[in-house]
Amino acid sequence: MSDAPDPALPPLRLLVAAPRGFCAGVDRAIQIVELTIRKFGAPVYVRHEIVHNRFVVDSLKAKGAVFVEELDEVPDGRPVVFSAHGVPKAVPHKAAERGLDFLDATCPLVSKVHRQAERLVESGRHILFVGHRGHPEVIGTFGQVPEGQMTLIETIEDAAALQPADPDKLAFLTQTTLSVDDTVEIVQLLKARFPRIAAPRGEDICYATSNRQAAVKVIVESCDAVLVIGAPNSSNSLRLVEVAARAGIPARLIERASEVDFAWLEGVRTLGITAGASAPEVLVQELFDLLATRFTLERSEVNSAVETMQFKLPRSLEAV
């Protein structure tokens, strides 16, 4: 049988963004769950989705992970893993009080923000935290400091309306998965309104979030539409859709290839494809396979950065 393209199928050019998909923090978190299952045997409990991706969660369930929302749902004597988004300080304290074995899969870049928050509060500053209300990372970061020491800033309007008790004793931090462009606008306004505000020592928005947004900005220059593979509760995936839309390019978020409506692709000659930081590459290949049933594909990968970041596993799992 010939592998030559079917001349009856219309052509479709694919521009595939790189970097895309798994970041070092997500890869580490998944490894922690898998190694914990190997070390303790199933079931291993995971507080909150380890990362925001249904395919990943279902794959880990099949290996013996049980996902719960609260520590109270974890039975005595079974290990528990905390998600990559981070948890309030009270959660590991409660686990320790119960004598539970627990593994913290918090992304090290989120943990860095946690440490900064503690230091800023200890120095007497009130923190303005730029992020999305209700996101697990925001909940986890607020839980690192005493109540009332941090104020959430979601929008430029929030930054404009803020009336702090002491404008000279402020600091700001940000969620790691925000829109780079939106965050710059908010931070610029905060600095203009409060010239003595303390900034983080380094960029809080993580390298992977920034790189994936930058990669979309490159491909949209030549695309008619963009598909982003990711979960609807994945902040970094939603931001990729926004980046494309801001450039005037129609963009849609899909969890799996099966969600593609081919009516979306009518008139599209060049389609951009990327994936959020918690979406595995197998889902990208799944989309390629589906598109190949309807189009003769010409595929190009557009590299805008090289990622070499790796994070160490917890010491207790290194020999597993």
Side-chain angles (χ1 to χ4, degrees), residues 223-267:
C223 289
D224 302 311
V226 170
L227 291 178
V228 177
I229 302 171
N233 60 341
S234 166
S235 177
N236 76 84
S237 298
L238 292 170
R239 304 294 81 78
L240 297 178
V241 175
E242 291 174 359
V243 168
R246 181 172 289 169
I249 302 300
R252 293 182 182 270
L253 181 71
I254 59 170
E255 288 195 82
R256 300 289 299 268
S258 58
E259 297 178 11
V260 172
D261 182 344
F262 284 98
W264 301 341
L265 303 183
E266 289 181 8

Side-chain angles (χ1 to χ4, degrees), residues 284-301:
V284 179
Q285 186 59 54
E286 180 184 80
L287 178 58
F288 294 156
D289 293 343
L290 176 69
L291 294 173
T293 66
R294 295 289 193 97
F295 301 97
T296 298
L297 301 179
E298 176 196 336
R299 196 163 84 204
S300 301
E301 186 162 296

Side-chain angles (χ1 to χ4, degrees), residues 36 88 126 151 153 166 236 249 264 268 277:
T36 303
H126 183 86
T151 297
I153 304 293
D166 188 348
N236 76 84
I249 302 300
W264 301 341
V268 173

Side-chain angles (χ1 to χ4, degrees), residues 103-166:
L103 285 299
D104 190 354
T106 301
C107 173
L109 299 180
V110 174
S111 296
K112 182 191 76 170
V113 176
H114 290 180
R115 291 192 297 271
Q116 289 183 92
E118 291 176 311
R119 287 194 295 265
L120 289 166
V121 168
E122 287 170 0
S123 71
R125 291 186 179 269
H126 183 86
I127 299 169
L128 307 180
F129 191 79
V130 185
H132 297 297
R133 187 178 305 276
H135 190 279
E137 184 183 332
V138 173
I139 294 169
T141 304
F142 268 68
Q144 304 305 308
V145 299
E147 190 173 349
Q149 299 299 309
M150 195 178 294
T151 297
L152 182 65
I153 304 293
E154 290 193 273
T155 65
I156 196 85
E157 290 77 18
D158 289 345
L162 186 70
Q163 297 296 330
D166 188 348

